[in-house]
Amino acid sequence: MSSGLSYKIAVLVFLQNEAGEHLLLLRAKPPNYGIWSPIGGKLEMHLGESPFECAVRETFEETGFVIKSDDLHLFAAIAEKAYEGQSHWLIFLFNCKKVLPQLPPDMHEGKFGFFSRATIDTLPIPDTDRSALWPIYDKYRDRFVMLKANCAPGQPVKVEIEQIT
């Protein structure tokens, strides 16, 4: 059975300041328009870009913060089926070990804020972030976990762990 939906590959990068607050972007365009999420973006697949290369590039493009692959820890990958009924996503989640020195300036994709982990739970964030990404970050950010999630519209998001290392 074919759903006819495209498959997109992306990264999310979890950055923190010296106080341990997380950088989030209030998105000014889809996906996730008008809600807070970690920075990230789609792989430049036509260039053969790796998830690590994409995370380094997106971090610089969105924040101006220069990092290298060694500054990143890949802690999860999640395959999201039928996100917002628009497409399937394979998302690589990175925790940046290098501290972000200051709040980046606002940009065309949105505005930034630093938030404590407890405050994030009170913000407007994507359902998948609330049910999967932040709990996975909390539990596995120093390890690695592979997940899949059914995000089809009209159904509760169902997340399953496929492997933990």
Side-chain angles (χ1 to χ4, degrees):
M1 180 177 95
S2 171
S3 69
L5 298 180
S6 64
Y7 215 114
K8 299 179 180 178
I9 302 173
V11 302
L12 289 176
V13 182
F14 292 72
L15 294 155
Q16 294 181 42
N17 64 12
E18 194 68 47
E21 297 168 317
H22 295 273
L23 180 73
L24 295 181
L25 175 66
L26 181 59
R27 294 198 46 90
K29 63 183 200 175
N32 301 325
Y33 172 79
I35 52 182
W36 294 94
S37 64
I39 66 159
K42 294 187 278 298
L43 269 69
E44 297 285 348
M45 292 188 282
H46 66 283
L47 299 176
E49 186 175 53
S50 77
F52 277 86
E53 290 169 327
C54 181
V56 168
R57 177 181 55 77
E58 288 287 347
T59 298
F60 179 73
E61 286 178 1
E62 295 190 7
T63 69
F65 189 42
V66 177
I67 62 169
K68 53 189 188 310
S69 293
D70 289 352
D71 296 321
L72 297 168
H73 170 65
L74 175 62
F75 71 90
I78 183 167
E80 294 183 341
K81 192 175 294 184
Y83 184 77
E84 295 183 338
Q86 300 296 310
S87 58
H88 307 300
W89 288 85
L90 178 59
I91 305 172
F92 294 88
L93 309 178
F94 291 93
N95 190 26
C96 184
K97 299 175 280 186
K98 189 174 176 181
V99 173
L100 187 63
Q102 63 200 28
L103 190 67
D106 296 347
M107 59 161 185
H108 68 281
E109 290 193 31
K111 69 176 186 174
F112 291 103
F114 280 123
F115 301 96
S116 71
R117 180 61 192 92
T119 300
I120 292 169
D121 290 334
T122 70
L123 296 174
I125 61 175
D127 290 340
T128 51
D129 288 18
R130 193 174 309 284
S131 63
L133 297 186
W134 284 105
I136 293 304
Y137 172 86
D138 293 340
K139 192 168 182 181
Y140 299 107
R141 68 178 168 262
D142 297 322
R143 301 173 69 192
F144 179 80
V145 60
M146 182 70 205
L147 308 122
K148 64 180 178 179
N150 186 346
C151 303
Q155 300 176 22
V157 174
K158 182 180 178 195
V159 178
E160 295 177 54
I161 292 175
E162 294 187 301
Q163 186 176 64
I164 302 170
T165 55

